[in-house]
Amino acid sequence: MPMEITIDEFQEVEMRVGIVKQAERIEGTKLLKLLVDVGSGTRQIISGIAPYYNPESLVGKRVIVLVNLKPRVIRGYESQGMILAAGCKEDEERGVKPSVLTVNDEVPPGTRVC
């Protein structure tokens, strides 16, 4: 059974709409380096979705970004957030590829997801 959290704990998670401005593969890895406009500025986000996405196909997409995740260095690159996707490691083991969560409407970057 999944761990339950309170509504107050959920409200501490800050997700915002971001627009992917640039995307490129990090050579020799399964990582993409993305520059994402999250309304208050541009974030560099390192994501392990390179086996599933052509970088160019992500440019211009409105994605959901976890913006209050503590930055961390991945393979020498600072990641300043997380792109959300449906499908995790346990799903991959069942043959489900990650699917980046996107917004179809013209929602401005920085719009809070709640």
Side-chain angles (χ1 to χ4, degrees):
M1 177 162 180
M3 181 182 86
E4 292 181 343
I5 63 173
T6 67
I7 191 68
D8 292 333
E9 290 168 322
F10 175 73
Q11 289 176 337
E12 290 182 23
V13 175
E14 190 171 335
M15 296 174 284
R16 297 201 177 263
V17 173
I19 300 176
V20 179
K21 295 299 187 180
Q22 293 180 21
E24 64 183 65
R25 290 187 187 277
I26 297 176
E27 281 300 314
T29 72
K30 296 179 180 182
L31 302 172
L32 293 182
K33 180 173 76 167
L34 306 161
L35 294 180
V36 183
D37 175 1
V38 294
S40 60
T42 300
R43 301 276 184 103
Q44 176 174 278
I45 298 175
I46 308 304
S47 179
I49 58 173
Y52 309 102
Y53 284 92
N54 178 326
E56 294 81 24
S57 72
L58 294 170
V59 174
K61 296 270 188 203
R62 284 176 161 72
V63 297
I64 306 303
V65 180
L66 179 57
V67 295
N68 65 334
L69 185 66
K70 184 177 179 179
R72 89 180 239 211
V73 176
I74 302 171
R75 296 281 183 110
Y77 297 90
E78 184 177 53
S79 187
Q80 302 163 326
M82 178 184 288
I83 302 285
L84 299 185
C88 299
K89 290 202 184 293
E90 60 267 15
D91 299 307
E92 285 184 71
E93 293 167 4
R94 297 179 322 185
V96 177
K97 81 170 199 141
S99 179
V100 171
L101 300 181
T102 60
V103 177
N104 292 330
D105 296 330
E106 296 293 315
V107 178
T111 301
R112 181 117 190 224
V113 176
C114 47

